[in-house]
């Protein structure tokens, strides 16, 4: 199992959708190629929105984890 260590963390807990996905898309251009952003969200719609938006913008979704209502995404530029 590959463990990906994020370079940056974006904690969007308490923010309703679509704000976690919007914030992720605003942050990603700041990363260098190959860097990883960890996005934390407790908005249930994020399970669909964040991966789809990331892929649509050419980013790679490395991992999605769920712990109760909290979702953790690892997205690589």
């Amino acid at each position: 199992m590959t463990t990906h260590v994020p370079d940056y963390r974006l904690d969007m807990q308490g923010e309703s959708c679509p704000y976690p996905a919007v914030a992720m898309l605003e942050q990603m251009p700041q990363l260098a190629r190959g860097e990883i952003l960890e996005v934390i969200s407790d908005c249930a719609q994020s399970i669909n929105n964040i991966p789809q938006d990331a892929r649509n913008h050419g980013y790679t979704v490395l991992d999605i984890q769920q712990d109760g209502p909290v979702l953790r995404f690892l997205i690589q530029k």
Side-chain angles (χ1 to χ4, degrees):
M1 180 174 160
T2 304
T3 302
H4 301 284
V5 178
D7 298 287
Y8 303 97
R9 184 171 198 235
L10 183 61
D11 189 343
M12 296 301 293
Q13 292 182 80
E15 297 292 332
S16 60
C17 290
Y19 298 111
V22 170
M24 177 269 301
L25 290 175
E26 289 176 350
Q27 188 67 39
M28 289 304 292
Q30 309 304 317
L31 276 64
R33 185 181 182 107
E35 286 187 321
I36 298 170
L37 176 67
E38 175 186 40
V39 182
I40 307 295
S41 175
D42 56 3
C43 176
Q45 294 171 335
S46 292
I47 193 72
N48 297 317
N49 296 350
I50 288 178
Q52 182 178 9
D53 288 347
R55 291 183 186 111
N56 286 346
H57 285 81
Y59 305 123
T60 302
V61 178
L62 299 173
D63 194 21
I64 302 171
Q65 298 174 0
Q66 185 166 7
D67 183 9
V70 178
L71 297 158
R72 176 179 183 252
F73 303 89
L74 292 179
I75 302 166
Q76 185 175 43
K77 181 170 182 180

